[in-house]
Amino acid sequence: MMSRLRGRRAAKEGQESSEVWDGEAWTVRHVASASGKTYRCPGCDQALPSGVPRVVAWPTNSAAQERRHWHKACWNARNRSSARMTRTRA
């Protein structure tokens, strides 16, 4: 029974969905962790080390380099905070 739960959970975590935020369509993926990289959450500007569950989100009609890694709580609170996502790092 435990292996069936793990398989179900893994399939659910890797799925993509669409959400609307600030009038724009976003592609959203819930992932268990990242592979060895540390990212910076645009919601709280804190580090997201490898191994921490996260949300990867990007505008649906944009390039792959627009993807951002968020803490799950920060993504869920994005409408309540004053932080705005930085689109480019240049």
Side-chain angles (χ1 to χ4, degrees), residues 7 22 25-26 88:
D22 277 350
W26 289 73
T88 60

Side-chain angles (χ1 to χ4, degrees), residues 2-56:
M2 187 61 133
S3 62
R4 283 194 294 179
L5 289 175
R6 274 192 206 138
R8 205 177 297 156
R9 189 177 303 131
K12 189 176 183 179
E13 284 182 358
Q15 291 179 346
E16 291 180 3
S17 63
S18 294
E19 295 186 27
V20 176
W21 179 39
D22 277 350
E24 189 172 12
W26 289 73
T27 302
V28 179
R29 182 184 305 147
H30 293 265
V31 294
S33 67
S35 59
K37 287 187 175 181
T38 297
Y39 295 92
R40 186 156 300 276
C41 175
C44 66
D45 200 34
Q46 298 296 310
L48 253 165
S50 181
V52 174
R54 66 196 66 220
V55 172
V56 180

